[in-house]
Every structure is written in C-alpha cells, then in structure tokens.
Amino acid sequence: GEDVEQSLFLSVREGDSSVINCTYTDSSSTYLYWYKQEPGAGLQLLTYIFSNMDMKQDQRLTVLLNKKDKHLSLRIADTQTGDSAIYFCAERGTGFQKLVFGTGTRLLVSP
Amino acid sequence: EPEVTQTPSHQVTQMGQEVILRCVPISNHLYFYWYRQILGQKVEFLVSFYNNEISEKSEIFDDQFSVERPDGSNFTLKIRSTKLEDSAMYFCASTGTGANSPLHFGNGTRLTVT
C-alpha cells in the first residue's frame, strides 16, 4: 500500500532556510502536495507539483521532486516565526483518488 | 476565495450517542472526502464520495459511519454510536472537476467523546 514518511521535527532560526523532506512509496503517484497546519487549525494547501516536474517555485517556497528516488522536499526561504506549524506531505494517484498524508513535520522557528 | 465550511467547530458527546458532522463543500466541486486526525497523529482517509455514492472507503469507515449529501450543498458524516476512540478532528474536503484540482479542506470539527 501507499506509505509517506517525513522527519518529525525541524528547528531553525528566523531568516534561515528550512528544508522539509518527504519520501513516498507509490510509484503511480501523480501529484504531490504540501499542506500547512497551524495549531488547532485546518489544513492549508501550500503548493503542489505534478510528477513530471522536477521543481516548482512559488515566492518563498521551492518544491523539489526526485521521482527516481521518490523523494520530495519543501524549501522555505527566509523562514519567519509565522511559518512555525506542522507541514504535511501528501501524494495522490490519477483521477480523483484519495490523498495519502505523511506523518507531518513540526517546524519550529525561533527568533 | 470560496472555501469549505464545517460545523460545528467543536462537538462534545457521550459514548454511544449519534453525531452528525456537517460540511458545505465549495459550490462547483463534485468530489467530497472525509478525513480524521487523532490528536498528534497523521491525517487518515475515511471516505470519498461522488455522484451520490461512496467511491472509496478505508478500514476505519465501518458500519458505524455513514455519509450523505442530503441536498445540493451539504455533505454530512454520521457516526451512529460513538466510541471513545472516535475522538479526533474530522476534516471535510472537496475538489473540482479537473484531474489536477487539489483538495481543499475545511477547518475541521473537533469531536470529543466522553
């Protein structure tokens, strides 16, 4: 079955770059997503990448995809204290199949 | 920007009671989903729904769970006889007609079973 893994915790200083990593097992994954969850809040879609792309940039966010190694990363440039949250990687097959979420990475940004 | 709305934001119920969690998906979306997140754990898929029927369901979605789209706007999740282990955050999501349309989530309903 599908499995998505992430490191549990990342701590950075304000202004540094953060890199959150994710690995997945389903080779038929078509789309890969990053969601952000602030404490007590819902799941906010940050960005997503199609499996035939290597990279996608959206303002401070850069997504890198290594399809061969089934590895996805999210880089946040100039990390701010407001970026402190849990970041979930998720993968999805074709059509309208369900999202499968990773375990989530808790990002803590200190001043 | 259109959004998925869920009510109530927090529901407390006693074990054995029935609960109905409500969702209003984005208006032109056709695919609907329920997920749950037990405190501190990962987000787990429960069920997907399209064209007035269940498309896929997980092992969690047993006979105690049901979903319904009673009218053109609401999408509900019913738990017939709640158990302590049903305590979790329940998220509704919807997606549009394009194959690359991402899932948009509501803010969730926190269900506490006592």
Side-chain angles (χ1 to χ4, degrees):
Chain A
E2 314 99 336
D3 195 20
V4 182
E5 295 290 337
Q6 299 176 238
S7 50
L8 291 180
F9 189 73
L10 176 65
S11 179
V12 300
R13 288 197 177 276
E14 195 173 20
D16 289 349
S17 292
S18 307
V19 179
I20 301 171
N21 294 301
C22 169
T23 57
Y24 60 97
T25 57
D26 189 358
S27 57
S28 66
S29 295
T30 306
Y31 290 95
L32 296 128
Y33 301 82
W34 286 102
Y35 284 83
K36 176 183 179 182
Q37 185 180 37
E38 297 186 41
L43 297 162
Q44 176 194 352
L45 175 67
L46 286 179
T47 187
Y48 60 99
I49 189 167
F50 186 46
S51 60
N52 69 352
M53 298 169 64
D54 298 325
M55 185 182 89
K56 182 178 179 182
Q57 187 150 5
D58 184 0
Q59 299 182 337
R60 291 190 299 121
L61 305 179
T62 303
V63 179
L64 294 178
L65 175 61
N66 182 328
K67 195 177 179 183
K68 174 175 164 291
D69 293 339
K70 300 191 186 70
H71 182 267
L72 182 75
S73 67
L74 174 70
R75 179 177 180 271
I76 306 172
D78 186 25
T79 317
Q80 303 297 305
T81 54
D83 294 325
S84 292
I86 300 176
Y87 290 80
F88 290 95
C89 163
E91 64 89 16
R92 188 181 186 193
T94 56
F96 297 93
Q97 293 179 36
K98 63 181 185 288
L99 277 181
V100 176
F101 282 86
T103 46
T105 299
R106 183 178 297 275
L107 174 65
L108 178 64
V109 184
S110 53
Chain B
E1 185 176 324
E3 57 182 29
V4 176
T5 56
Q6 290 185 243
T7 54
S9 56
H10 191 189
Q11 171 108 35
V12 181
T13 190
Q14 288 192 325
M15 196 167 53
Q17 296 296 304
E18 174 184 286
V19 293
I20 298 176
L21 309 183
R22 302 180 191 280
C23 170
V24 179
I26 294 173
S27 63
N28 63 344
H29 284 185
L30 299 176
Y31 289 81
F32 315 114
Y33 308 79
W34 282 102
Y35 284 77
R36 80 170 185 191
Q37 184 184 31
I38 295 172
L39 186 64
Q41 298 188 23
K42 67 193 297 184
V43 180
E44 301 173 291
F45 169 76
L46 292 178
V47 66
S48 58
F49 190 87
Y50 169 71
N51 200 25
N52 284 320
E53 59 183 30
I54 290 173
S55 304
E56 185 179 0
K57 60 183 181 180
S58 71
E59 290 175 354
I60 303 166
F61 195 89
D62 61 21
D63 291 345
Q64 293 301 308
F65 291 86
S66 62
V67 289
E68 193 179 30
R69 189 155 162 81
D71 53 43
S73 59
N74 290 284
F75 178 51
T76 61
L77 174 70
K78 183 194 289 187
I79 309 175
R80 287 189 183 81
S81 178
T82 50
K83 303 188 281 285
L84 293 176
E85 53 264 38
D86 293 327
S87 294
M89 184 77 97
Y90 288 80
F91 292 106
C92 172
S94 67
T95 189
T97 54
N100 61 349
S101 178
L103 269 67
H104 293 267
F105 285 82
N107 282 333
T109 293
R110 180 169 297 284
L111 176 65
T112 303
V113 183
T114 61

